[in-house]
Amino acid sequence: MKILVVGSGGREHAIVWCLKQSRQAEKIYCAPGNAGIAADAECVNINVDELEKMADFAVENKIDLTVVGPEAPLCDGIVDVFKARGLAVFGPDKEAAQLEGSKDYAKRFMVKYGIPTAKAATFECACKAKEYINNEFASGADGIVVKADGLAAGKGVLVAPDAKSACDFVDGCFGGEFGSAGAKVVIEEMLVGEEASILALCDGNTIIPMVSSQDHKRVFDNDEGPNTGGMGAYSPAPVVTDEVAERIDKEILQVFLKGVQSEKLNFRGVIFVGLMISNGVPKVLEFNVRFGDPEIQAVLRRFDGDFAETLKLVTEGRLAEADLIWSDDPAVSVVIASGGYPGKYAKGKVISGLDKAAAKGAVVFHAGTAFDADKNIVSAGGRVLGVSARGKSIDEAIKNAYAGVKEIHFDGCFNRSDIGAKAAKWLKK
Ligand code: AMP
Ligand code: GLY
């Protein structure tokens, strides 16, 4: 199989790394890729928003399977463009991608099919939204969640402890802070509990969850500081006990599949369900229509099946035939970021110790790296690397991942030191 992976982050490196182990993968391209991906695939200089150019490349190079990493090209309709050319592509089409691209669309889908989620209302003007917020606090709410409707690179959500901050955020949305993404806002009841991520493969006929995982969204230890794209992940998430997993399958995934079928959505890809779990009851916080990053780094470290074959079967509507094999060994991935992230940060810092980390047994996924003029690998983004490892226990996986992290350095780099600690604590309860 000739395979094209679209994207350039840690998620795409993990996907390429896993595809490379497939006996069916004859050649792997990644567009545009990064300095680390270049060691595992041939990088192609096409950006993720150049949909026609990407499809031209796939046709010219007789690509058998294209895997789309990020949400933006999915919401822009890359799958529609590829399908029109008769190309096999992993991901939902433009209409189905609204499940991530519009929080209002996703909420209406959940309500229509009875998927458990937070109570919410959508507004197209600030004054009605603020009136709703004030009423919720007047009726005793402890907090409220304001979400810009469209894609806002993870910045369009505020969990507000009081009416003033919620109303200020509403003003920001309608004031154009998130561009057209803020033209509508969804205001939600604040849920409490523990979060977990379920990435489920779905081909429109069958839905199968991958192993559970958990991200760490805040930038600093003990979940302090602002939200980021994700500072590290572990799998499995112990909060997803067998009983909880059963409820997720029955109350969320199977209902989701029924909804996809009833709406006649073209969904052959992965649905990433962000969950809040409280006393064993799972509720949906959000849908994403692509693999979570860094969640997929930890999840794929545990995948022992044939990834290329599995994803190809999804594109053919034959997921039921796939053999998903998982290791029982937990996995952890720790993100190393540039100083200042998620705010302003410097780029172009030379990275050392990558070989030493690999010698310690870690697999280092590159998220934001590039080559400089002297062919050094340098930092080129906020999240720079994901250092991943497996272990016989979560404690051992944590130890192994941090043994790799210790070897790596670049000017200003930092990482959280408590990735996985929550899982380890859970298991010791
Ligand atoms: P979203 O992009 O919708 O997942 O929101 C980003 C983050 O905001 C989630 O991972 C949660 O930490 C938080 N969040 C979103 N919705 C809620 C909610 N209804 N209650 C509490 N926290 C939420
Ligand atoms: N880790 C969260 C995300 O991929 O959106």
Side-chain angles (χ1 to χ4, degrees), residues 139-162:
S139 348
D142 291 327
I144 207 149
V145 184
V146 185
K147 300 183 175 185
D149 178 56
L151 291 183
K155 297 196 181 91
V157 175
L158 179 75
V159 181
D162 52 61

Side-chain angles (χ1 to χ4, degrees), residues 77-422:
I78 192 170
V79 167
D80 309 65
V81 172
F82 272 57
K83 288 232 162 100
R85 309 271 192 108
L87 294 159
V89 54
F90 178 90
D93 71 3
K94 188 173 181 171
E95 188 187 357
Q98 288 182 86
L99 286 163
E100 175 164 1
S102 164
K103 306 250 184 219
D104 176 49
Y105 178 95
K107 192 56 88 172
R108 281 190 278 117
F109 180 95
M110 287 187 248
V111 170
K112 182 167 176 187
Y113 293 98
I115 293 173
T117 185
K119 183 185 89 172
T122 299
F123 299 93
E124 295 187 32
C125 82
C127 63
K128 285 264 178 341
K130 290 196 266 190
E131 191 182 314
Y132 181 86
I133 289 168
N134 286 320
N135 282 340
E136 286 296 303
F137 279 102
S139 348
D142 291 327
I144 207 149
V145 184
V146 185
K147 300 183 175 185
D149 178 56
L151 291 183
K155 297 196 181 91
V157 175
L158 179 75
V159 181
D162 52 61
K164 164 128 189 16
S165 54
C167 291
D168 288 350
F169 194 79
V170 165
D171 283 333
C173 287
F174 288 110
E177 203 157 306
F178 307 109
S180 59
K184 269 190 211 172
V185 297
V186 176
I187 300 186
E188 258 182 40
E189 161 200 12
M190 183 178 75
L191 298 177
V192 289
E194 191 168 336
E195 288 186 50
S197 301
I198 293 290
L199 313 174
L201 300 173
C202 176
D203 68 355
N205 304 309
T206 308
I207 188 160
I208 304 180
M210 302 174 92
V211 286
S212 63
S213 56
Q214 187 158 343
D215 188 9
H216 297 67
K217 287 205 163 69
R218 303 297 194 95
V219 68
F220 300 128
D221 283 6
N222 302 314
D223 294 334
E224 285 175 13
N227 268 336
T228 67
M231 293 300 292
Y234 55 81
S235 172
V239 64
V240 183
T241 58
D242 289 350
E243 292 76 34
V244 171
E246 219 167 278
R247 287 189 72 151
I248 293 169
D249 186 54
K250 190 162 154 241
E251 296 168 22
I252 298 169
L253 301 181
Q254 297 308 324
V255 183
F256 173 83
L257 177 62
K258 210 179 287 165
V260 161
Q261 292 169 341
S262 301
E263 300 291 317
K264 299 194 167 45
L265 294 179
N266 186 341
F267 202 108
R268 291 185 171 181
V270 61
I271 182 79
F272 159 2
V273 188
L275 296 159
M276 187 70 89
I277 299 162
S278 176
N279 296 321
V281 180
K283 288 191 180 173
V284 177
L285 293 176
E286 64 166 341
F287 285 137
N288 296 305
V289 296
R290 35 82 194 174
F291 294 112
D293 192 12
E295 287 95 324
I296 195 62
Q297 301 179 24
V299 165
L300 287 183
R301 286 303 311 269
R302 302 183 57 207
F303 187 69
D304 288 336
D306 187 315
F307 200 43
E309 181 182 77
T310 301
L311 299 188
K312 180 77 175 178
L313 285 169
V314 172
T315 67
E316 292 169 348
R318 295 165 59 208
L319 171 60
E321 295 168 41
D323 199 6
L324 270 66
I325 305 166
W326 298 101
S327 164
D328 287 336
D329 292 355
V332 169
S333 186
V334 178
V335 169
I336 303 183
S338 299
Y341 174 77
K344 277 199 187 129
Y345 52 83
K347 291 184 188 175
K349 304 293 178 192
V350 175
I351 301 170
S352 64
L354 291 168
D355 290 344
K356 283 192 194 151
K360 287 259 163 84
V363 175
V364 182
F365 298 120
H366 290 227
T369 66
F371 291 107
D372 69 6
D374 300 321
K375 292 269 177 261
N376 294 307
I377 296 184
V378 297
S379 62
R383 292 191 292 175
V384 177
L385 301 163
V387 182
S388 72
R390 247 157 82 159
K392 284 284 158 220
S393 63
I394 186 76
D395 283 331
E396 196 181 299
I398 294 169
K399 201 174 94 212
N400 293 343
Y402 278 103
V405 169
K406 234 175 65 193
E407 299 297 338
I408 296 173
H409 184 76
F410 56 91
D411 268 359
C413 69
F414 76 98
N415 57 270
R416 275 183 65 158
S417 67
D418 63 347
I419 302 302
K422 220 184 274 172

Side-chain angles (χ1 to χ4, degrees), residues 9-27:
R11 164 182 45 218
E12 288 75 26
H13 195 182
I15 292 169
V16 163
W17 172 84
C18 201
L19 287 169
K20 198 179 159 191
Q21 294 166 53
S22 160
R23 263 184 288 149
Q24 303 207 19
E26 175 193 326
K27 170 92 193 171

